């Protein structure tokens, strides 16, 4: 069991507490409360769970990746919630729990949040900090820590980009990637190194795709000294990475195993 004391019932968000008491929010521990004179005790039942700090040393690299991805999925879900706030998550590896199959369970406090805290979105920095702490202290995770830092420096809550950055392995210095067409009218294969590679229907580009729905300068693929990235160059029909539409002129890390789409045409990344 994990409990927290509130000095006054006035700082208790009753609506959020009702949600935590009655609804199953994926990845969020349910909460009960007791009144102790003028104080409120919040109770979270953590039986059969272990905190990440308790088991971190025994986790494999792929386990850490899975846990990080699930944490980000919970964040994305909470951002869409009207009743619970990501600002109220307890961002501490001692307060983030795993069950026997390493599913993530987090604590969200039903507290009233000041307007300035909501507007400042302090939780964004906390998300990057907790992920960095999750991966830090191991030689096999140095690359992922650099990826997290590179995303953090952009200063945005682009969680899909961060999930992609965490998901792939470190390229070698002379590595290349191959983008191979799946549904193109004719076979297409682009082998891309570390020089910027422009894809479009203009005959002067590196990756020429003379197909409908492809803009003259459709997308760019490049290397930023940490990883390969892909960005939409202002195309009319869009560029997609793993079914997520990319915003224009925003470099998103990707690598082998990804699926990209330019307009109506889908490509495997190898």
């Amino acid at each position: 069991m994990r409990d927290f004391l509130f000095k006054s019932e006035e700082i208790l968000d009753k609506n959020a507490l009702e949600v935590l008491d009655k609804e199953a929010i994926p990845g969020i521990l349910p909460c009960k409360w007791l009144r102790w004179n003028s104080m409120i005790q919040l109770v979270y039942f953590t039986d059969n769970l272990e905190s990440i700090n308790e088991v971190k040393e025994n986790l494999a690299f792929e386990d850490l990746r899975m846990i990080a991805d699930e944490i980000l999925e919970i964040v994305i879900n909470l951002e869409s919630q009207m009743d619970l706030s990501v600002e109220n998550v307890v961002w501490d590896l001692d307060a983030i729990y795993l069950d026997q199959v390493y599913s993530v369970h987090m604590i969200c406090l039903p507290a009233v949040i000041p307007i300035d805290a909501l507007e400042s979105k302090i939780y964004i920095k906390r998300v990057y900090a907790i992920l960095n702490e999750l991966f830090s202290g191991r030689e096999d995770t140095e690359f992922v820590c650099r990826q997290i830092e590179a995303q953090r420096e952009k200063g945005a809550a682009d969680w899909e980009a961060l999930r992609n950055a965490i998901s792939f392995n470190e390229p070698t210095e002379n590595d290349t990637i191959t983008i191979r067409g799946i549904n193109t009218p004719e076979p297409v294969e682009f082998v891309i190194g570390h020089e910027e590679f422009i894809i479009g229907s203009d005959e002067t580009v590196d990756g020429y795709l003379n197909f409908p729905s492809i803009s003259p300068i459709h997308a760019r693929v490049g290397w930023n000294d940490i990883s390969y990235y892909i960005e939409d160059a202002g195309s009319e029909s869009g560029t997609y990475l793993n079914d997520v539409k990319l915003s224009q002129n925003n470099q998103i890390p990707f690598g082998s195993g990804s699926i990209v789409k330019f307009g109506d045409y889908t490509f495997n990344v190898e």
Side-chain angles (χ1 to χ4, degrees):
M1 186 182 77
R2 185 75 183 267
D3 66 334
F4 298 83
L5 287 176
F6 279 20
K7 294 182 179 180
S8 169
E9 191 172 338
E10 294 180 359
I11 60 175
L12 187 66
D13 185 332
K14 297 289 185 63
N15 189 49
L17 182 60
E18 185 177 352
V19 171
L20 289 170
D21 182 37
K22 295 182 178 180
E23 296 186 19
I25 306 298
I28 299 299
L29 286 168
C31 177
K32 301 295 183 181
W33 69 294
L34 302 169
R35 182 180 286 108
W36 292 92
N37 296 323
S38 62
M39 302 184 72
I40 301 297
Q41 181 184 20
L42 301 174
V43 180
Y44 297 83
F45 296 97
T46 58
D47 299 347
N48 302 317
L49 302 175
E50 294 181 289
S51 73
I52 290 179
N53 264 343
E54 290 178 300
V55 299
K56 181 182 173 184
E57 291 185 0
N58 299 322
L59 295 173
F61 182 30
E62 290 305 319
D63 293 331
L64 295 176
R65 279 178 159 172
M66 178 187 71
I67 291 165
D69 188 76
E70 194 165 342
I71 289 173
L72 290 172
E73 181 66 29
I74 293 170
V75 169
I76 293 169
N77 183 41
L78 284 179
E79 286 180 331
S80 66
Q81 286 280 333
M82 297 298 294
D83 299 311
L84 301 181
S85 172
V86 197
E87 295 289 359
N88 279 338
V89 169
V90 180
W91 293 106
D92 186 333
L93 292 185
D94 284 319
I96 301 177
Y97 296 88
L98 305 175
D99 59 24
Q100 293 181 345
V101 295
Y102 296 158
S103 293
V104 176
H105 303 269
M106 304 176 74
I107 291 175
C108 186
L109 299 174
V112 176
I113 306 174
I115 296 297
D116 57 344
L118 286 173
E119 293 176 347
S120 61
K121 295 187 176 181
I122 299 172
Y123 77 89
I124 295 175
K125 294 182 180 179
R126 291 172 177 163
V127 172
Y128 283 107
I130 206 72
L131 292 180
N132 185 66
E133 185 179 355
L134 176 66
F135 285 101
S136 64
R138 296 169 49 145
E139 292 184 1
D140 61 345
T141 58
E142 290 180 358
F143 171 67
V144 172
C145 288
R146 294 199 303 271
Q147 292 281 27
I148 293 171
E149 179 61 19
Q151 292 298 311
R152 186 194 66 78
E153 288 179 351
K154 295 180 179 180
D158 193 340
W159 306 132
E160 292 298 340
L162 186 54
R163 293 173 83 177
N164 280 310
I166 290 172
S167 69
F168 59 86
N169 295 319
E170 181 174 12
T172 61
E173 184 177 352
N174 297 317
D175 198 12
T176 61
I177 57 172
T178 300
I179 298 180
R180 196 185 312 274
I182 297 176
N183 65 339
T184 50
E186 57 189 59
V188 175
E189 177 180 301
F190 300 137
V191 179
I192 303 172
H194 288 184
E195 298 295 324
E196 183 178 74
F197 192 93
I198 299 175
I199 295 171
S201 59
D202 190 295
E203 293 183 357
T204 64
V205 303
D206 308 295
Y208 180 50
L209 296 176
N210 187 24
F211 305 143
S213 81
I214 303 297
S215 297
I217 306 296
H218 196 103
R220 300 182 185 90
V221 174
W223 169 264
N224 60 13
D225 294 326
I226 298 177
S227 66
Y228 285 98
Y229 65 82
I230 184 169
E231 66 176 335
D232 183 81
S235 66
E236 292 186 7
S237 55
T239 301
Y240 297 78
L241 175 61
N242 298 327
D243 293 327
V244 176
K245 187 174 183 179
L246 304 184
S247 56
Q248 295 181 9
N249 302 315
N250 185 24
Q251 296 180 0
I252 305 299
F254 81 131
S256 179
S258 300
I259 297 177
V260 298
K261 186 178 177 183
F262 308 113
D264 298 329
Y265 305 100
T266 304
F267 295 74
N268 278 332
V269 182
E270 304 168 2

